[in-house]
């Protein structure tokens, strides 16, 4: 492993020394894990760090050697061929050897001289020879990629800067051996306290820096740092003998790395590690931040090599290294975010699946207090890269490895965050709804000629994430995550993504996994960005169904029906809509996935989106009217719920589910007020006790008080049995036994939790099982092939259905465009916004209804509405008009503000119906 590591590291150093900042993007693949691509400043820092590390290695090799008395490297003090040099002479010679790309014996000669065996033999020489051969071969390959091997001015500048930094410590190199704390032995909490106190009191930085360098550069050492104390088990003779044997081996051996590797410690003590590293933050960060950044970068490179190539490091050791590395306090320097952190993220990608799962569990159960720090650090890295990089068509954000690797690591944090919070049993699942594939012989035959039509019967459902399966976790079970899910959103990234590209990569990744797509990591994207991806998918589906219909018509198999066309009467909108949808569902359910076109009988409105919006609004107003009897109103939560005693058939609830699915499918926002439990149930999670909080707050608080009542007289205080009562829509009392003979079973301290769970299960699941199953079936008939469940959490689905609740008309004003001669400085426009901002919320809703066809705020807020105000002639007595399909408000240029307000209020108050526009 050492020889391979040397070869890779020397290759990277050679490349860094022979490349310049202008070639950084092209060298991205040759420096995995580092911050490459756009931005010459980052590349220069990486090259400078690599050059500095190599020069230090040459420096200590010339002075101290590799520790192998049989070494035949004439540039190594251990070989006997190298002349004795003063520290200053060694520094100058080290720079010359760096230019010559001279041979290096050991992977870290500047830290700990070591050998590959406890006794020096010919194998050490063979190792050096093999390493030298690999170094030369690797350097030859690099020179082939970068033909210019001569020393460039920029290289000289970097070497001079590095020499200046190295010279600060050269004059006191005589104390070098006294500064090797524990000879590379693992750090402990007590040792960290001692080093920090010594640094603060004497201002001597070397002991602390040397100890951190020794620990944080080698995975084998770092994995054994901050180990828990071995318990005293005198009764276990085998363990006692094992400990004695290991202790004896440690004392008799002269190889620190081998000693560390040979001891299987009791495990990482995360609390001890956190205390020690928090104590480190008392030392000014400028004392050690640069050295620690270099050490962490080296650590990441070694971890990547060990995990990806040599497979030498164990999974547990690798996990320990990542846990310790992310416990490091804020270093307060840009190099950490630009160099070390991307390298760590790149190395973490090579953790095996079980290692990722273990890291998630350690972070969840032992590092809760660090989760926010880890998340914020990754968010800073992503945001910094996004706002500082000028992405182009040839280099998009999906190609930026610093961003993509940080996103992959954030997925582990995302699952750890759920595990660290309140999780519910994964057994509370709704029965799956299976929609049988409708056989379409003609469509199947046409697939051979027109492959695009094959989309209609293909399930593009995203497979379950392997890490989620390994952790046995589902976002639906996360009742309350440790950190709010919203903290995982990265808005700069969401704004920077070209959704057309990401959606294409997403579909490609589902099939072969070669493209990176942020839609595969939906937790980092805002609901507005994901809704755009869902919109593209639905539009592709509509286009596919339209082509199939046209092909059917060409061969004479069926009349051309490219759209789902509904013709309804305003006076009988429920009857007409439900009858037509029922016929479509019975004859060919796939027609529900065509683009919806609505026509109101007797009106000349051409549906380009606005007519459909009004159709959905009118049908929702009637369906959810309590007088209709299908839903009941919950006065405490101001929400609608299924009527368990409804006289309507299951088919009508199915058709209402179809309406809800069609609204999402056609990108229409509805004015429905369901409690959150409805969306959780639609996604497949049954209602539970905690869902009562927003379904019926009074009932929830009453049950909560009972559960928290700890006195022995609970039975007398509440006098509650397992028989409950409720009223139907007609006011009749209905009783139900939660258990057999429930009227004779009183609630006590022993069974009160069972009572609360059964009560909630009856109200939210059992009592409305028939109605909800039919409703969900209709919803699934439209959305079964959609990525809705894969991309959106229940809370986001509610936003998708109902829109945002933030009526910020200042955002609308900023995003509005003007046409026909109006500008933002026109007096009529200034008067218009002055009037709008003074309106009540109800009147603002009417204005939205008038201009867009819906009184709901779109996902992402009013800034996404894209309203256009166009001048519609000079001053006149006409009312303002609107094209709701295109969100265009036609506004005459009224002379006075009073006249504008009068005409505008009349227009928005009487806006039902469509005329000739």
């Amino acid at each position: 492993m050492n020889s391979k590591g040397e070869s890779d590291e020397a290759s990277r150093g050679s490349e860094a020394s022979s490349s310049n900042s202008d070639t950084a993007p092209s060298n991205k693949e040759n420096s995995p894990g580092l911050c490459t691509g756009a931005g010459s400043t980052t590349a220069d820092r990486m090259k400078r760090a690599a050059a500095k590390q190599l020069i230090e290695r040459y420096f200590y090799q010339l002075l101290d050697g590799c520790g192998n008395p049989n070494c035949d490297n004439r540039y190594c003090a251990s070989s006997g061929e190298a002349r004795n040099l003063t520290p200053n002479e060694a520094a100058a010679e080290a720079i010359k050897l760096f230019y010559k790309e001279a041979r290096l014996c050991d992977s870290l000669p500047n830290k700990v001289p070591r050998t590959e065996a406890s006794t020096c033999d010919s194998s050490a020489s063979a190792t050096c020879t093999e390493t030298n051969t690999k170094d030369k071969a690797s350097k030859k390959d690099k020179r082939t990629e970068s033909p210019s091997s001569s020393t460039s001015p920029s290289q000289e500048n970097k070497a001079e800067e590095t020499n200046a930094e190295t010279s600060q410590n050269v004059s006191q190199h005589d104390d070098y051996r006294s500064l090797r704390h524990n000879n590379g032995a693992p750090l402990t909490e007590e040792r960290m306290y001692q080093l920090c106190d010594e640094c603060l009191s004497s201002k001597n930085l070397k002991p602390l820096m040397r100890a951190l360098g020794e620990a944080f550069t080698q995975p084998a050492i770092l994995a054994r740092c901050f180990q828990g104390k071995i318990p005293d088990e005198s009764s276990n003779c085998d363990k006692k003998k094992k400990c004695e044997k290991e202790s004896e081996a440690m004392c008799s051996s002269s190889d620190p790395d081998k000693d560390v590797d040979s001891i299987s410690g009791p495990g990482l003590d995360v609390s001890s590690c956190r205390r020690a590293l928090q104590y480190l933050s008392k030392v000014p960060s400028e004392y050690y931040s640069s050295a620690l950044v270099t050490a962490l970068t080296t650590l990441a490179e070694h971890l990547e090599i060990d995990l990806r190539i040599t497979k030498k490091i164990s999974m547990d050791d690798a996990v320990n290294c990542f846990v310790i590395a992310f416990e490091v306090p804020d270093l307060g320097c840009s190099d950490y975010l630009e160099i070390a952190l991307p390298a760590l993220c790149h190395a973490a990608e090579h953790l095996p699946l079980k290692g990722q799962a273990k890291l998630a569990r350690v972070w969840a159960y032992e590092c809760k207090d660090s989760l926010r720090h880890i998340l914020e650090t990754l968010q800073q890295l992503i945001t910094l890269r996004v706002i500082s990089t000028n992405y182009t068509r040839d280099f998009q954000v999906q190609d930026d490895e610093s961003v993509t690797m940080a996103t992959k690591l954030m997925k582990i944090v995302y699952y750890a965050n759920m595990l660290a919070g309140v999780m519910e049993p994964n057994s509370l699942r709704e029965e799956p709804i299976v929609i049988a594939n409708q056989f379409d012989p003609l469509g199947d035959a046409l697939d051979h000629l027109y492959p695009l039509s094959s989309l209609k019967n293909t399930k593009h459902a995203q497979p379950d994430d392997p890490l989620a399966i390994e952790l046995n976790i589902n976002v639906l079970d996360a009742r309350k995550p440790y950190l709010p899910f919203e903290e995982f959103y990265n808005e700069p990234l969401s704004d920077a993504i070209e959704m057309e590209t990401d959606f294409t990569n997403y579909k490609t990744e589902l099939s072969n996994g070669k493209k990176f797509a942020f839609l595969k990591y939906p937790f980092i994207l805002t609901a507005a960005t994901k809704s755009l991806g869902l919109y593209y998918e639905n539009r592709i589906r509509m286009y596919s169904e339209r082509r199939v219909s046209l092909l059917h018509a060409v061969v004479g198999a069926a009349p051309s029906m490219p759209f789902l066309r509904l013709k309804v009467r305003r006076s009988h909108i429920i009857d007409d809509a439900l009858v037509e949808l029922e016929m479509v569902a019975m004859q060919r359910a796939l027609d529900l996935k065509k683009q919806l076109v609505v026509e109101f009988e007797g009106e000349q409105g051409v549906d380009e989106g606005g007519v459909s919006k009004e159709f959905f609004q009118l049908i929702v107003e009637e369906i959810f009217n309590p007088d209709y009897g299908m839903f009941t109103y919950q006065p405490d939560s101001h929400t609608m719920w299924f009527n368990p005693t409804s006289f309507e058939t299951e088919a009508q609830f199915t058709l209402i589910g179809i309406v809800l699915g069609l609204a999402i499918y056609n990108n229409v926002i509805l004015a429905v007020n369901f409690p959150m439990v409805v969306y959780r149930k639609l996604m497949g999670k049954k209602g539970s006790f905690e869902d009562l909080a927003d379904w019926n707050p009074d009932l929830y608080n009453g049950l909560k008080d009972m559960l928290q009542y700890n006195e022995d007289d609970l039975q007398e205080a509440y006098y509650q049995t397992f028989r409950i009562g409720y009223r139907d829509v007609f006011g009749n009392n209905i009783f139900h036994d939660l258990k057999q003979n429930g009227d004779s079973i009183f609630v006590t301290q022993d069974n009160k939790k069972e009572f609360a769970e059964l009560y909630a299960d009856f109200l939210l699941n059992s009592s409305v099982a028939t109605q909800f199953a039919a409703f969900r079936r209709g919803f699934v008939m439209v959305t079964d092939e959609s990525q809705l469940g894969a991309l959106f959490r229940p809370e986001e689905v509610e936003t998708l259905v109902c829109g945002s609740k933030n009526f910020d008309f200042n955002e609308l004003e900023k995003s509005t465009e003007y046409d026909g001669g109006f500008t933002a400085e026109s007096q009529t426009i200034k008067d218009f916004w002055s009037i709008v901002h003074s309106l009540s919320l109800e009147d603002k809703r009417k204005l939205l209804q008038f201009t867009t066809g819906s009184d709901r705020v779109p996902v992402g807020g009013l800034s996404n509405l894209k309203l256009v105000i166009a001048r519609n002639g000079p001053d006149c007595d006409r009312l303002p008009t609107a094209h709701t399909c295109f969100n265009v408000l036609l506004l005459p240029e009224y002379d006075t503000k009073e006249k504008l307000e009068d005409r505008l209020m009349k227009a928005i108050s009487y806006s039902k119906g469509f005329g000739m526009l």
Side-chain angles (χ1 to χ4, degrees):
M1 187 274 286
N2 290 336
S3 61
K4 177 64 179 175
E6 294 165 14
S7 177
D8 289 351
E9 187 171 356
S11 299
R12 282 189 289 269
S14 174
E15 181 187 58
S17 66
S18 61
S19 302
N20 55 47
S21 59
D22 294 334
T23 60
S26 63
N27 292 332
K28 176 179 61 174
E29 295 179 357
N30 298 328
S31 301
L34 296 181
C35 189
T36 60
S40 60
T41 301
T42 301
D44 286 340
R45 287 173 176 165
M46 291 165 50
K47 294 168 188 173
R48 178 180 173 183
K52 176 183 176 182
Q53 183 181 7
L54 284 174
I55 292 173
E56 286 182 350
R57 290 173 60 187
Y58 285 120
F59 173 77
Y60 289 115
Q61 179 175 283
L62 289 168
L63 286 177
D64 297 307
C66 65
N68 177 17
N70 295 327
C71 179
D72 59 353
N73 184 358
R74 63 191 182 94
Y75 301 118
C76 178
S78 298
S79 67
E81 298 182 22
R83 60 188 179 90
N84 293 329
L85 300 174
T86 66
N88 288 328
E89 291 174 338
E93 186 69 19
I95 296 177
K96 295 179 182 179
L97 295 180
F98 167 71
Y99 290 149
K100 294 168 59 176
E101 298 182 352
R103 173 184 168 190
L104 283 168
C105 296
D106 195 275
S107 60
L108 279 175
N110 60 323
K111 299 300 179 184
V112 183
R114 58 181 180 176
T115 61
E116 292 301 323
S118 58
T119 60
C120 299
D121 53 24
S122 58
S123 63
S125 178
T127 302
C128 289
T129 304
E130 180 183 0
T131 302
N132 187 36
T133 303
K134 292 184 178 180
D135 284 343
K136 290 180 179 179
S138 177
K139 292 170 185 175
K140 183 178 180 181
D141 292 340
K142 296 299 180 182
R143 283 194 293 268
T144 301
E145 295 176 6
S146 302
S148 178
S149 60
S150 61
T151 304
S152 63
S154 61
Q155 191 177 21
E156 292 178 357
N157 292 337
K158 294 169 194 167
E160 290 174 1
E161 292 173 358
T162 306
N163 185 27
E165 294 177 7
T166 306
S167 299
Q168 294 176 3
N169 297 327
V170 164
S171 61
Q172 297 183 3
H173 180 72
D174 295 337
D175 298 330
Y176 166 67
R177 289 176 178 81
S178 65
L179 298 178
R180 288 192 206 148
H181 295 291
N182 294 343
N183 288 328
L187 283 174
T188 63
E189 182 180 357
E190 294 75 14
R191 185 59 182 160
M192 184 65 79
Y193 291 161
Q194 180 183 350
L195 290 167
C196 292
D197 291 340
E198 180 181 349
C199 180
L200 291 171
S201 60
S202 65
K203 304 299 181 182
N204 186 5
L205 314 182
K206 295 177 184 177
L208 176 62
M209 293 178 65
R210 183 58 52 81
L212 292 176
E214 290 173 352
F216 278 88
T217 51
Q218 285 296 326
I221 298 177
L222 186 62
R224 267 57 174 186
C225 290
F226 308 110
Q227 296 284 291
K229 295 181 180 180
I230 301 177
D232 184 14
E233 299 181 1
S234 56
S235 60
N236 192 333
C237 298
D238 292 338
K239 289 188 177 182
K240 185 175 180 180
K241 291 180 180 179
K242 183 178 179 181
C243 291
E244 292 175 352
K245 184 177 180 180
E246 290 175 344
S247 177
E248 182 180 357
M250 183 175 180
C251 293
S252 62
S253 175
S254 60
D255 185 354
D257 281 1
K258 184 178 179 183
D259 296 339
V260 172
D261 287 334
S262 65
I263 299 175
S264 57
L268 174 65
D269 186 343
V270 178
S271 299
S272 175
C273 172
R274 183 178 298 115
R275 289 192 298 268
L277 293 177
Q278 286 177 349
Y279 198 83
L280 176 64
S281 62
K282 294 184 177 182
V283 179
S285 62
E286 59 268 18
Y287 288 2
Y288 60 85
S289 60
S290 179
L292 197 51
V293 165
T294 303
L296 287 171
T297 305
T298 305
L299 172 72
E301 293 173 354
H302 290 170
L303 280 171
E304 181 183 347
I305 292 172
D306 290 344
L307 290 170
R308 183 167 58 92
I309 301 175
T310 65
K311 309 294 183 182
K312 181 177 180 180
I313 191 170
S314 69
M315 182 188 72
D316 291 344
D317 285 353
V319 170
N320 285 352
C321 289
F322 285 111
V323 171
I324 296 174
F326 281 94
E327 287 293 330
V328 173
D330 187 7
L331 295 178
C333 65
S334 60
D335 284 353
Y336 176 69
L337 288 177
E338 296 175 358
I339 300 176
L341 186 56
L344 287 170
C345 294
H346 198 287
E349 184 197 14
H350 300 289
L351 269 175
L353 183 63
K354 291 187 180 296
Q356 295 180 28
K358 179 172 182 180
L359 180 59
R361 292 190 182 100
V362 172
W363 275 344
Y365 302 132
E366 301 184 49
C367 303
K368 281 186 179 182
D369 296 337
S370 301
L371 280 177
R372 187 180 297 277
H373 167 69
I374 298 171
L375 176 60
E376 289 177 350
T377 302
L378 293 174
Q379 292 282 35
Q380 288 175 11
L381 167 61
I382 294 173
T383 301
L384 176 65
R385 287 292 300 169
V386 169
I387 65 177
S388 63
T389 305
N390 184 22
Y391 295 110
T392 64
R393 182 177 295 275
D394 296 327
F395 183 72
Q396 298 186 342
V397 67
Q398 291 89 349
D399 303 318
D400 192 336
E401 289 191 350
S402 293
V403 176
T404 58
M405 296 304 169
T407 302
K408 291 181 179 180
L409 183 58
M410 194 184 294
K411 182 175 72 171
I412 301 178
V413 182
Y414 178 70
Y415 288 134
N417 181 56
M418 287 192 284
L419 291 174
V422 179
M423 297 291 294
E424 289 185 336
N426 57 10
S427 58
L428 298 175
R429 289 285 186 269
E430 292 283 352
E431 291 295 326
I433 301 293
V434 180
I435 305 298
N437 288 334
Q438 295 197 11
F439 182 64
D440 190 348
L442 180 58
D444 294 336
L446 292 173
D447 282 346
H448 301 288
L449 299 176
Y450 301 95
L452 187 61
S453 66
S454 64
L455 185 65
K456 63 181 173 41
N457 282 327
T458 303
K459 304 289 184 181
H460 289 283
Q462 178 177 343
D464 291 336
D465 182 60
L467 182 56
I469 297 174
E470 180 69 25
L471 291 169
N472 192 26
I473 192 173
N474 190 298
V475 68
L476 294 175
D477 301 325
R479 171 58 61 181
K480 185 179 180 182
Y482 184 74
L483 301 175
F485 283 127
E486 291 75 16
E487 293 193 19
F488 284 83
Y489 293 153
N490 190 294
E491 294 188 3
L493 173 65
S494 298
D495 294 339
I497 290 175
E498 293 291 341
M499 186 49 66
E500 299 93 331
T501 301
D502 201 74
F503 179 76
T504 303
N505 291 353
Y506 178 61
K507 287 300 183 182
T508 304
E509 184 168 355
L510 291 181
S511 59
N512 59 31
K514 294 182 180 179
K515 299 285 187 177
F516 184 89
F518 287 99
L519 284 174
K520 193 74 181 295
Y521 304 84
F523 54 83
I524 200 173
L525 303 178
T526 61
T529 302
K530 289 184 288 188
S531 67
L532 186 57
L534 186 67
Y535 172 79
Y536 287 149
E537 181 180 52
N538 293 340
R539 288 293 163 177
I540 291 174
R541 166 64 60 184
M542 293 176 185
Y543 177 72
S544 174
E545 290 297 332
R546 190 183 309 170
R547 285 197 57 172
V548 171
S549 177
L550 293 175
L551 289 171
H552 283 193
V554 168
V555 299
S560 177
M561 296 179 58
F563 301 101
L564 174 59
R565 193 176 298 275
L566 299 180
K567 187 173 183 178
V568 296
R569 297 167 292 175
R570 284 184 180 271
S571 57
H572 299 79
I573 190 169
I574 295 292
D575 296 337
D576 292 351
L578 296 188
V579 167
E580 291 204 33
L581 289 175
E582 185 175 13
M583 291 178 61
V584 172
M586 291 175 61
Q587 294 175 0
R588 189 176 184 272
L590 287 174
D591 287 345
L592 294 172
K593 293 169 184 171
K594 296 178 179 178
Q595 183 176 350
L596 178 65
V597 175
V598 177
E599 179 184 347
F600 284 103
E601 191 172 285
E603 300 183 23
Q604 295 91 3
V606 179
D607 190 4
E608 293 288 345
V611 182
S612 298
K613 292 178 185 178
E614 186 176 15
F615 162 76
F616 279 111
Q617 182 183 15
L618 294 176
I619 201 169
V620 163
E621 285 179 358
E622 288 211 30
I623 285 178
F624 291 96
N625 189 332
D627 296 338
Y628 204 74
M630 297 185 70
F631 294 88
T632 60
Y633 179 70
Q634 301 287 331
D636 296 333
S637 58
H638 306 289
T639 57
M640 305 301 295
W641 186 246
F642 301 89
N643 181 7
T645 59
S646 173
F647 295 111
E648 305 299 333
T649 64
E650 292 183 30
Q652 289 179 290
F653 281 98
T654 299
L655 295 174
I656 296 173
I658 292 176
V659 169
L660 187 65
L662 285 175
I664 294 178
Y665 191 65
N666 289 271
N667 200 34
V668 177
I669 297 173
L670 299 180
V672 297
N673 293 310
F674 281 132
M676 182 55 63
V677 64
V678 171
Y679 301 101
R680 292 174 62 85
K681 287 167 70 68
L682 279 175
M683 295 295 101
K685 179 75 172 181
K686 284 187 176 181
S688 61
F689 172 72
E690 292 298 328
D691 288 311
L692 292 175
D694 65 338
W695 183 80
N696 191 330
D698 290 342
L699 176 62
Y700 174 79
N701 292 330
L703 291 173
K704 197 76 173 177
D705 289 340
M706 185 184 70
L707 292 175
Q708 295 174 350
Y709 189 83
N710 296 321
E711 302 297 330
D712 295 333
D713 62 341
L714 184 143
Q715 180 174 337
E716 292 76 15
Y718 284 88
Y719 204 74
Q720 175 66 51
T721 67
F722 273 73
R723 171 174 290 183
I724 60 172
Y726 61 97
R727 292 185 177 183
D728 61 13
V729 292
F730 303 107
N732 300 322
N733 290 324
I734 301 176
F735 296 96
H736 174 77
D737 286 351
L738 299 177
K739 298 175 67 173
Q740 188 174 3
N741 299 323
D743 192 33
S744 60
I745 304 175
F746 281 89
V747 177
T748 63
Q749 289 288 359
D750 295 331
N751 61 18
K752 63 181 182 181
K753 185 176 180 181
E754 180 188 14
F755 170 78
E757 291 175 351
L758 289 175
Y759 199 173
D761 180 66
F762 172 74
L763 293 176
L764 301 177
N765 302 314
S766 303
S767 64
V768 295
T770 302
Q771 293 84 353
F772 181 79
F775 171 77
R776 184 166 176 245
R777 177 176 178 80
F779 181 80
V780 172
M781 287 175 70
V782 183
T783 62
D784 62 328
E785 296 176 335
S786 169
Q787 298 298 321
L788 185 69
L791 298 179
F792 297 89
R793 301 189 314 275
E795 299 86 352
E796 295 172 321
V797 175
E798 181 189 30
T799 303
L800 205 63
V801 173
C802 304
S804 173
K805 298 179 180 179
N806 183 19
F807 283 81
D808 189 349
F809 273 70
N810 290 319
E811 290 185 5
L812 181 61
E813 181 179 359
K814 292 177 183 178
S815 64
T816 297
E817 298 176 358
Y818 304 97
D819 196 9
F822 277 152
T823 68
E825 301 302 322
S826 300
Q827 187 59 44
T828 302
I829 296 301
K830 292 181 178 180
D831 292 341
F832 172 81
W833 288 116
S834 175
I835 294 169
V836 169
H837 292 312
S838 65
L839 295 177
S840 65
L841 180 59
E842 184 61 30
D843 287 336
K844 287 179 179 178
R845 286 183 177 273
K846 290 180 180 179
L847 176 63
L848 287 178
Q849 173 67 41
F850 176 73
T851 55
T852 68
S854 172
D855 64 348
R856 316 298 287 188
V857 178
V859 180
L862 287 173
S863 60
N864 292 338
L865 191 57
K866 306 305 179 187
L867 177 66
V868 177
I869 302 179
R871 184 177 182 273
N872 191 24
D875 177 58
C876 61
D877 292 331
R878 288 182 299 167
L879 298 178
T881 54
H883 293 300
T884 57
C885 301
F886 309 105
N887 300 339
V888 176
L889 175 62
L890 302 175
L891 196 65
E893 192 171 6
Y894 298 111
D895 287 341
T896 64
K897 180 178 179 181
E898 292 74 18
K899 188 174 183 179
L900 170 60
E901 182 174 10
D902 177 71
R903 298 298 188 270
L904 182 64
M905 294 305 297
K906 287 180 179 178
I908 67 176
S909 300
Y910 307 99
S911 59
K912 295 290 179 70
F914 290 80
M916 295 292 290
L917 296 180

